[in-house]
Amino acid sequence: MIPSDLSPVHALPSGLCEDPTGEAAALISRMGQGDGTALREIHAMWSPVFLGIATRMLGEPKEASKALKSAFIRIWQRSSGYDPHQSPPFVWAFTILRETCIARLGKQRRPAGNPDLSRPPDLSEDSRVMPLDDWRRLRAALDSLSPEERACLETAVFLGYAHTHASRVPDSKSLTVKACLRRALDKIRNQLSRYEL
Amino acid sequence: MNSDPYDSAAWRAFGMLDADECAIFDETMRGDPALRKLSHEMDRLAAAIAASNVSPIRPSEDQLEKLQNGLKLNPARRTSIWIAASGWAAAAALAIVWLVSLSRNTDRSASAALPEAPAAAVEPATASTLPRGTKIATKRLTQEITVLRENLERFQNRDRTLFTAVPGVALPVVMTMNPPGVPADDSPLPSMLGDAARWIAVANDSSEPDSGAMAVYDAARDSGTLIVNYLPLPESGQFYNLWVTTSSADHPIYVGSLPESGEDGTVSFDFSLGSTMILPSGFTLTLDPPGAPAAPSETSIVLQGPPPPSL
């Protein structure tokens, strides 16, 4: 039986998506000073993964391409105010992309593209996106989730519940989306904490 | 919004809060370092999960070029237009010179064909060879001009595509900001001309102008510009801070501090509100000591807008 009352999501262990070499932070700093070549380098480094993310968030390649361009324009415009102490470069840029996608979804008044969870992604481990160790420990943590929890979490990450009133997990009579997400996040936290220890 | 901050941080990261809830969460987060840290950690997790669950897709070849053009970072393209244009102009000039010389030669050969001309015996040979060479050269030049003209049109069309209006984009919000207590000008001309009238008046006024500001904000793009006019330079250690008020929030929301410009004339600053779902109802500029700025008060407000209507 699925418990209905779950503990709240606790603070997650930090350390994911760090920029150990400082390469990305240096590029953003250069962008903040108006260096166009730094933008080219950042674009070459992150645009493929960002386009993959935007495509899953928005569901349409053309929309995703437009969102990617808008996101990079915002990244350029906000680069002078970037504070590496607040969040790592990739996370900072990801939040801008996500914000752009949320806005596009809201403007079009249509639900997010339904992420195709049946197709496993390429197991590319690009160290310029995330340190290699992070790729592995995150995948191990995700593997600890039940299929239902994982699907729920991935749908949420790819904005499948944005601008909607989803209350029940599909194929589940009693589990709400929020309860499922709480449980998934709690498990992830515990798994990532194990790696830290 | 959920009362549990952990939940709220997660729902914020997953886009599950509406505009008002987002604004409240962001405002709370600004004053709560623990919540801010939690939100950043949630962003880390979301970014990592997203990256590990997609197959990278290489953008189209011209994606970067379009991006650079959008940011006006592509001087090479502009140069190529000038090269194309100058090439076309040079070709046209050459063609004119050639046609003029052809006309002169034709006149000469025509006059040489007159019976009374003494040099008629040698001229016919030149007259018979010139049109053939000229014909070939003219044809070649015509072809080059056609190619150059096509290139120029292609570049011009590409520029037109870049500047096509985006359908459905809202018009920007434009608000003037005056010192507290200064009413809005109620003469009919400014209302007809909009805020431009006031700025024209300031520009034409040779006496010491009043401080003022104008905020232009495009909610659809979450992109704004604050233009301040004759704002006194802050004393050492003090900062000007910008706040936005919305109809949904009870108190002004902190936007950011103005960087030191070192100028006391007209200076502009770009800003964003962090979300495209915020529709401002007013802006406030305060002068605060260093550190976390307190909420705007009567003593700290320097400019606010839109100003109250005059009585």
Side-chain angles (χ1 to χ4, degrees):
Chain A
M1 167 140 178
I2 299 163
S4 57
D5 185 20
L6 296 161
S7 59
V9 178
H10 295 108
L12 290 152
S14 57
L16 284 172
C17 299
E18 283 293 347
D19 175 32
T21 61
E23 182 193 0
L27 287 172
I28 293 173
S29 172
R30 278 171 50 199
M31 277 166 54
Q33 293 161 9
D35 185 346
T37 58
L39 174 69
R40 277 206 294 276
E41 289 182 49
I42 284 275
H43 188 269
M45 208 159 80
W46 290 340
S47 63
V49 71
F50 276 171
L51 187 55
I53 291 171
T55 304
R56 284 193 80 172
M57 285 180 171
L58 298 173
E60 290 178 17
K62 199 174 172 183
E63 273 295 300
S65 189
K66 286 179 186 171
L68 181 71
K69 186 185 163 198
S70 298
F72 268 104
I73 288 174
R74 289 180 183 198
I75 288 169
W76 169 265
Q77 289 170 338
R78 296 183 192 179
S79 55
S80 59
Y82 169 66
D83 179 4
H85 300 295
Q86 294 284 336
S87 58
F90 181 78
V91 178
W92 172 76
F94 167 80
T95 56
I96 293 174
L97 175 73
R98 183 184 62 197
E99 193 181 281
T100 308
C101 289
I102 289 174
R104 292 189 91 87
L105 287 170
K107 205 158 58 179
Q108 292 165 2
R109 298 181 185 280
R110 66 176 180 81
N114 189 20
D116 183 6
L117 304 176
S118 60
R119 193 179 56 186
D122 296 342
L123 292 177
S124 61
E125 295 182 348
D126 189 346
S127 62
R128 295 175 309 170
V129 171
M130 194 158 56
L132 295 178
D133 192 45
D134 283 358
W135 288 101
R136 286 157 201 169
R137 66 184 182 129
L138 183 74
R139 286 201 170 115
L142 288 171
D143 288 343
S144 73
L145 303 179
S146 70
E148 195 174 50
E149 290 162 350
R150 183 164 180 163
C152 197
L153 183 59
E154 287 184 15
T155 303
V157 165
F158 290 110
L159 307 180
Y161 301 128
H163 303 299
T164 65
H165 299 285
S167 56
R168 300 272 166 203
V169 174
D171 305 325
S172 172
K173 288 180 182 174
S174 58
L175 188 61
T176 64
V177 165
K178 288 185 175 178
C180 185
L181 284 173
R182 282 191 195 102
R183 200 163 59 178
L185 288 169
D186 220 18
K187 278 190 183 178
I188 288 268
R189 178 185 67 84
N190 286 331
Q191 285 294 321
L192 291 174
S193 299
R194 279 186 200 175
Y195 272 82
E196 285 207 329
L197 293 173
Chain B
M1 189 166 64
N2 199 300
S3 58
D4 189 314
Y6 303 108
D7 281 358
S8 298
W11 310 156
R12 174 78 171 92
F14 299 149
M16 293 165 69
L17 301 183
D18 63 28
D20 290 342
E21 290 171 336
C22 275
I24 293 167
F25 179 85
D26 291 349
E27 177 58 17
T28 310
M29 192 174 67
R30 286 190 186 101
D32 186 346
L35 185 61
R36 194 161 56 238
K37 184 170 182 288
L38 184 72
S39 180
H40 288 154
E41 293 302 332
M42 198 63 74
D43 286 341
R44 280 181 190 241
L45 183 69
I49 292 174
S52 67
N53 278 283
V54 293
S55 301
I57 301 171
R58 187 163 293 283
S60 60
E61 292 295 323
D62 60 346
Q63 236 270 348
L64 179 62
E65 192 187 349
K66 283 180 183 171
L67 173 64
Q68 289 176 318
N69 291 339
L71 293 169
K72 296 173 185 166
L73 290 174
N74 206 352
R77 200 177 136 271
R78 194 169 291 178
T79 309
S80 65
I81 293 173
W82 278 109
I83 289 170
S86 59
W88 184 83
L94 268 174
I96 290 166
V97 170
W98 192 268
L99 287 171
V100 167
S101 70
L102 171 67
S103 164
R104 282 180 183 168
N105 285 331
T106 310
D107 290 347
R108 208 179 296 157
S109 61
S111 61
L114 291 172
E116 60 269 27
V122 291
E123 288 295 332
T126 316
S128 63
T129 53
L130 254 181
R132 182 179 173 79
T134 305
K135 211 173 182 181
I136 294 167
T138 307
K139 191 178 178 185
R140 195 174 66 238
L141 271 173
T142 308
Q143 286 173 342
E144 285 178 10
I145 289 169
T146 306
V147 170
L148 288 166
R149 187 178 286 158
E150 283 171 2
N151 283 344
L152 184 63
E153 281 176 7
R154 204 172 67 241
F155 285 126
Q156 286 172 337
N157 285 335
R158 198 161 67 179
D159 278 350
R160 284 193 201 107
T161 308
L162 278 174
F163 292 106
T164 302
V166 181
V169 172
L171 289 171
V173 175
V174 181
M175 292 177 185
T176 53
M177 298 161 69
N178 284 352
V182 175
D185 190 353
D186 61 351
S187 69
L189 190 60
S191 63
M192 289 166 69
L193 291 178
D195 289 318
R198 183 174 169 278
W199 294 85
I200 293 165
V202 169
N204 291 334
D205 190 359
S206 58
S207 61
E208 186 67 25
D210 294 330
S211 295
M214 180 192 287
V216 183
Y217 179 69
D218 184 349
R221 298 172 191 275
D222 183 26
S223 174
T225 300
L226 177 73
I227 307 160
V228 296
N229 203 47
Y230 293 101
L231 200 62
L233 293 173
E235 290 178 17
S236 178
Q238 289 189 317
F239 286 94
Y240 285 110
N241 293 304
L242 181 66
W243 306 74
V244 63
T245 48
T246 66
S247 56
S248 56
D250 295 336
H251 48 274
I253 300 167
Y254 176 63
V255 178
S257 296
L258 269 58
E260 289 180 42
S261 68
E263 297 173 37
D264 58 357
T266 302
V267 190
S268 66
F269 305 91
D270 292 337
F271 66 89
S272 62
L273 302 180
S275 171
T276 53
M277 291 178 279
I278 298 174
L279 192 62
S281 59
F283 289 92
T284 305
L285 197 67
T286 60
L287 184 60
D288 301 289
S297 64
E298 281 185 13
T299 54
S300 66
I301 292 176
V302 179
L303 297 170
Q304 62 184 6
S310 57
L311 298 172

